[in-house]
């Protein structure tokens, strides 16, 4: 999908938390460098681990792949929470000011990790999931807020058009909510005589292999929309599926 930094700018929550964790890691790294002799070897591992973890989250957001790696990131963040809190307890009780400052930096990191667990662990329809564009079922794509706004506007222009179900139609599971699902398509060309129209997919979708009613679609693929009135869309592709 390509790396696009603008995707990060569409989520203020991730901008703020990433800024906080990188600031905390920078403070910790500088303090550790000033008092190397007092720093445990495992502390360097923790700093590098947390830095790579934050970088991984940044990359998944900017490549729009957070929905694919959400569970893996959630597990790694949980590990980071556990190992980081031990180092905070060790250095915050030190009598050297630099080491206490290092503990403060790690506390900022801990706060960020805690918020990430809440965000990535929130299910579809929850406030945090809707705010940050994440979901718990792993099927939805993270949609930048600008794209969501445009899609919703496009959908409202066609929501009142009546459609009828047809034989052989399949269903596409929604991204995170019915409103987003109904906004995944654009470029609608409606047949005024039948109520059926063609739509172009804005995003690719991989069908759940355990659900025979779902079909996979590719980005920019054009298909026939049979029914868009419910939570799921009924569509027919050129190959008849």
């Amino acid at each position: 999908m390509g790396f696009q930094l603008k995707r990060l700018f569409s989520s203020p929550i991730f901008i703020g938390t990433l800024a906080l964790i990188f600031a905390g890691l920078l403070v910790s790294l500088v303090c550790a460098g000033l008092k190397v002799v007092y720093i445990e070897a495992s502390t360097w591992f923790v700093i590098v681990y947390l830095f790579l973890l934050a970088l991984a989250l940044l990359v998944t957001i900017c490549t729009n792949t957070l929905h694919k790696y959400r569970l893996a990131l959630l597990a790694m963040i949980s590990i980071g929470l556990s190992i980081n809190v031990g180092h905070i307890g060790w250095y915050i009780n030190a009598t050297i000011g630099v080491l206490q400052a290092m503990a403060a930096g790690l506390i900022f990191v801990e706060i960020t990790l805690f918020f990430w667990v809440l965000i990535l662990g929130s299910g579809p329809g929850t406030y945090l999931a809707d705010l940050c564009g994440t979901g718990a079922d792993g099927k939805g794509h993270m949609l930048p807020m600008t794209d969501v706004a445009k899609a919703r506007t496009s959908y409202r222009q066609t929501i009142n058009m009546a459609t009828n179900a047809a034989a052989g139609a399949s269903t596409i599971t929604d991204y995170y909510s019915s409103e987003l699902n109904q906004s995944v398509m654009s470029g609608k060309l409606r047949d005024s005589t039948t109520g059926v129209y063609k739509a172009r997919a804005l995003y690719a979708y991989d069908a759940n292999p355990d659900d025979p009613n779902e079909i996979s679609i590719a980005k920019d693929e054009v298909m026939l929309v049979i029914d868009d009135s419910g939570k799921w869309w009924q569509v027919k592709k050129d190959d008849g599926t």
Side-chain angles (χ1 to χ4, degrees):
M1 293 184 178
F3 186 94
Q4 296 184 26
L5 195 59
K6 67 179 182 180
R7 292 193 176 105
L8 176 63
F9 297 145
S10 67
S11 180
I13 297 295
F14 282 123
I15 292 178
T17 53
L18 282 169
L20 184 61
I21 193 172
F22 281 124
L25 289 173
L26 180 60
V27 169
S28 301
L29 184 62
V30 171
C31 292
L34 293 175
K35 295 292 182 179
V36 176
V37 67
Y38 296 101
I39 304 301
E40 296 288 336
S42 59
T43 302
W44 297 108
F45 168 78
V46 171
I47 293 176
V48 173
Y49 176 87
L50 295 174
F51 174 80
L52 293 177
L53 179 59
L55 190 62
L57 181 64
L58 174 63
V59 170
T60 57
I61 294 172
C62 293
T63 56
N64 201 24
T65 56
L66 182 58
H67 63 286
K68 294 182 178 180
Y69 302 104
R70 184 186 62 83
L71 293 179
L73 287 170
L74 188 58
M76 295 172 65
I77 291 170
S78 299
I79 294 173
L81 270 170
S82 300
I83 62 178
N84 186 50
V85 71
H87 288 78
I88 292 176
W90 174 264
Y91 293 110
I92 202 170
N93 293 316
T95 57
I96 301 175
V98 173
L99 297 182
Q100 292 176 342
M102 177 179 175
L106 293 177
I107 289 175
F108 288 137
V109 173
E110 192 77 1
I111 293 172
T112 302
L113 296 177
F114 176 77
F115 273 109
W116 284 352
V117 169
L118 289 178
I119 293 171
L120 297 180
S122 298
T126 60
Y127 176 76
L128 285 176
D130 292 341
L131 183 64
C132 303
T134 60
D137 58 5
K139 298 178 184 178
H141 293 266
M142 176 180 163
L143 299 178
M145 295 308 295
T146 53
D147 290 350
V148 171
K150 292 178 181 177
R152 285 177 174 173
T153 300
S154 175
Y155 173 67
R156 290 190 184 102
Q157 294 172 352
T158 60
I159 187 61
N160 293 323
M161 298 179 180
T163 55
N164 299 313
S170 299
T171 61
I172 301 177
T173 302
D174 59 343
Y175 276 63
Y176 289 114
S177 66
S178 59
E179 189 170 12
L180 289 185
N181 171 59
Q182 292 157 342
S183 65
V184 197
M185 305 296 181
S186 68
K188 300 169 180 174
L189 301 175
R190 180 175 290 280
D191 184 340
S192 59
T193 61
T194 64
V196 177
Y197 62 90
K198 291 183 178 180
R200 185 185 304 275
L202 293 176
Y203 302 91
Y205 178 79
D206 295 326
N208 182 359
D210 297 327
D211 190 342
N213 291 324
E214 290 190 12
I215 59 174
S216 298
I217 58 175
K219 182 180 179 181
D220 295 327
E221 182 176 2
V222 177
M223 64 205 72
L224 195 65
V225 178
I226 307 300
D227 187 356
D228 64 358
S229 60
K231 183 177 180 180
W232 300 331
W233 279 15
Q234 292 182 326
V235 302
K236 181 178 293 185
K237 299 171 66 174
D238 290 339
D239 60 4
T241 58

